[in-house]
Amino acid sequence: MKLLRYGPPGAEKPGILDSAGRVRDLSGRVEDIAGAALHQDSLAALRKLDIDTLPLVDGTPQDDLRLGPCVGRVGKFVCIGLNYSDHAAEAGMPVPPEPVIFNKWTSAICGPNDPIQVPRGSTKTDWEVELGVVIGTGGSYIDEGDAMAHVAGLCVINDVSEREFQLDRAGTWDKGKGCDTFGPTGPWLVTMDEVADIDDLEMWLDVDGERMQSGNTSTLIYKVPHLVSYCSRFMSLQPGDVISTGTPPGVGMGFKPPRYLHGGEVVSLGIAGLGEQRASVLPAPA
């Protein structure tokens, strides 16, 4: 299934994509794509629906029908740093001996086609295509062998980052990761029954039509089951929590000289089978 949320910001409704690429309304079945609706039993009930009998929503998704973040009421937005060895090399940092965890604030989350706002004072706003993992069943100290039973599905994330805030200012990485609009999420949450091989998903990102990032989840240093298990050692994972698993090479700070977003650009990105994002970049406010 491809689950989604559509409508104006802050008033999104739950939906599902049908075989023709149209949105069907799920309001009569679930309150939101969030919380208990992400449990395995709830997802199993949704799979039994005859999608073509659900109310058809007017408009074309990501065209004249806005899609919001594909998950609602996200409690934690957990990110993994330096999880591709070639990205660690371009960042001039060693491959970490265990996963690097940082956070994006949930106020950063926005829809897959919503504008990206360069923050005031920014000089180094960067892009990062990432595989997002959405927790469906919570838990602590999850065994790696059971980890995928806790996953509701996958999605596309752009881990937008301000490198000066992140690396050149005092404090943790979080400072440069959680600015408003720095977490485009979606277009849809793809349940695991539609993912052929989580360890072989092509991913890409373009800026103004120029290919910047090309990668594949086969080169993740720490794979998804390990990341779910590892994160659950340090926090209880809950339905709707998102884990963003790291980015392949080709980020702006890796170019010589570096290349960053200043406003006026269009950033497009996607992951095979999980959909695409396309966002305009707004210049920093005065």
Side-chain angles (χ1 to χ4, degrees):
M1 297 182 293
K2 293 182 174 66
L3 303 174
L4 55 89
R5 301 169 70 247
Y6 69 93
E12 292 93 347
K13 296 180 179 180
I16 189 169
L17 202 69
D18 69 16
S19 59
R22 301 170 299 184
V23 173
R24 300 281 179 163
D25 182 60
L26 281 176
S27 297
R29 305 291 179 164
V30 293
E31 179 186 358
D32 199 355
I33 308 300
L38 300 171
H39 292 172
Q40 293 298 337
D41 55 351
S42 297
L43 296 177
L46 291 178
R47 287 190 192 97
K48 295 178 181 179
L49 296 175
D50 183 351
I51 293 177
D52 292 335
T53 66
L54 296 172
L56 182 64
V57 178
D58 291 336
T60 301
Q62 298 184 278
D63 185 359
D64 56 348
L65 176 62
R66 176 187 177 269
L67 298 186
C70 60
V71 185
R73 303 197 302 272
V74 175
K76 293 188 288 295
F77 197 166
V78 183
C79 299
I80 308 299
L82 304 175
N83 202 23
Y84 290 79
S85 57
D86 33 13
H87 172 56
E90 74 175 350
M93 299 178 184
V95 173
E98 57 185 277
V100 173
I101 295 177
F102 63 91
N103 295 294
K104 293 178 85 76
W105 318 126
T106 56
S107 53
I109 296 172
C110 61
N113 297 80
D114 291 346
I116 295 169
Q117 175 69 68
V118 175
R120 184 172 294 160
S122 168
T123 59
K124 299 180 180 179
T125 295
D126 206 344
W127 55 81
E128 294 189 6
V129 58
E130 303 204 1
L131 172 68
V133 177
V134 179
I135 299 299
T137 302
S140 298
Y141 302 103
I142 296 168
D143 185 88
E144 187 170 333
D146 297 330
M148 294 309 297
H150 291 260
V151 174
L154 308 177
C155 64
V156 180
I157 289 174
N158 187 357
D159 175 19
V160 186
S161 308
E162 213 297 337
R163 302 301 186 187
E164 183 188 11
F165 299 175
Q166 176 191 356
L167 301 171
D168 301 339
R169 304 278 189 93
T172 66
W173 284 10
D174 303 344
K175 189 183 293 184
K177 292 287 190 172
C179 299
D180 290 356
T181 75
F182 272 25
T185 302
W188 22 78
L189 168 63
V190 181
T191 53
M192 296 307 303
D193 56 299
E194 291 201 12
V195 179
D197 186 354
I198 194 172
D199 293 323
D200 186 20
L201 299 175
E202 295 288 337
M203 51 204 307
W204 57 272
L205 183 144
D206 295 348
V207 178
D208 289 337
E210 180 181 356
R211 184 58 45 92
M212 299 297 184
Q213 290 188 272
S214 295
N216 189 292
T217 56
S218 63
T219 62
L220 277 168
I221 298 168
Y222 299 106
K223 305 295 186 181
V224 170
H226 181 75
L227 293 175
V228 172
S229 175
Y230 183 84
C231 289
S232 75
R233 303 177 197 173
F234 306 102
M235 66 197 83
S236 61
L237 294 177
Q238 297 158 343
D241 286 349
V242 175
I243 301 173
S244 197
T245 59
T247 197
V251 300
M253 73 174 179
F255 284 86
K256 301 188 184 305
R259 300 173 64 173
Y260 294 116
L261 302 172
H262 301 287
E265 304 91 349
V266 174
V267 179
S268 304
L269 59 147
I271 300 177
L274 305 185
E276 301 181 3
Q277 301 181 3
R278 181 180 175 87
S280 298
V281 181
L282 304 179

